[in-house]
Amino acid sequence: MNTALERNIRAISEREAESEKNASLQDRIADRITRFTGSMTFVYLHLSGFGFWIAANLGWIPGVSQWDPTFVVLAMIASVEAIFLSTFVLISQNRMAAVADRRANLNLQITLLIEHELTKMGALMIRMADRQGVPAAEDPETKEVENEVAPEVVYDALKDSEG
């Protein structure tokens, strides 16, 4: 693997680890809860717990008396649980969105830098071709390489095309 690539991977991994380390206690708790509730263990626990509750309250389990025959308590528990779980998921999604925004911004900055550098290299190559008498510099598309791209113009054009 390229040493620059290895260095980049290490730098990004270090930044992500630092970001995780600096997460608030509430964010870490919400992430752990979300991770657990998104697991098959959570599904199995609910299947067995709700299954037992339903079977017991339908009178299907001998020796176990019904304590919620209308399932009102079960519905209330499931509703409250759903409220809290959706809140934890939203907290985790907000954190993940912030990370994705940082990555997208990093990607945009690197792309803009690459575009700037390629524009400069293209202009240099056109000047070198002119000096050597190579006709490539006369091609209109080749001449476009010398023009810097204005990100704000591209952004506005994209925005206009959406609406």
Side-chain angles (χ1 to χ4, degrees):
M1 189 178 335
N2 183 317
T3 56
L5 183 59
E6 287 176 355
R7 184 189 76 235
N8 292 341
I9 290 170
R10 190 172 45 255
I12 295 298
S13 294
E14 287 170 1
R15 291 294 187 283
E16 287 178 354
E18 183 180 323
S19 178
E20 281 296 315
K21 186 178 83 175
N22 292 332
S24 69
L25 177 62
Q26 292 90 344
D27 286 340
R28 289 195 304 268
I29 290 170
D31 284 344
R32 285 190 190 117
I33 291 171
T34 302
R35 206 172 303 121
F36 173 67
T37 59
S39 71
M40 287 308 293
T41 302
F42 183 77
V43 171
Y44 298 142
L45 286 172
H46 275 73
L47 280 174
S48 61
F50 287 165
F52 173 77
W53 189 295
I54 292 168
N57 285 289
L58 287 174
W60 294 351
I61 302 175
V64 177
S65 61
Q66 296 174 323
W67 68 88
D68 185 23
T70 61
F71 299 107
V72 172
V73 176
L74 178 63
M76 182 199 59
I77 290 170
S79 296
V80 170
E81 180 185 51
I83 290 167
F84 280 104
L85 290 180
S86 62
T87 302
F88 290 128
V89 168
L90 288 172
I91 291 168
S92 292
Q93 284 180 336
N94 286 340
R95 278 201 54 212
M96 290 179 352
V99 169
D101 287 346
R102 282 193 303 271
R103 286 180 182 159
N105 191 21
L106 173 63
N107 190 36
L108 173 63
Q109 298 305 318
I110 290 171
T111 301
L112 290 172
L113 178 62
I114 290 168
E115 189 280 328
H116 173 74
E117 290 172 349
L118 287 175
T119 299
K120 294 297 181 189
M121 289 181 66
L124 176 63
M125 290 184 74
I126 289 170
R127 286 196 305 274
M128 290 169 58
D130 283 343
R131 245 191 195 168
Q132 296 296 319
V134 176
E138 297 167 11
D139 177 19
E141 285 186 10
T142 304
K143 286 303 255 181
E144 284 181 17
V145 170
E146 290 183 293
N147 301 327
E148 290 267 354
V149 172
E152 63 278 4
V153 173
V154 176
Y155 180 84
D156 292 341
L158 288 170
K159 211 165 118 182
D160 291 344
S161 71
E162 291 173 356

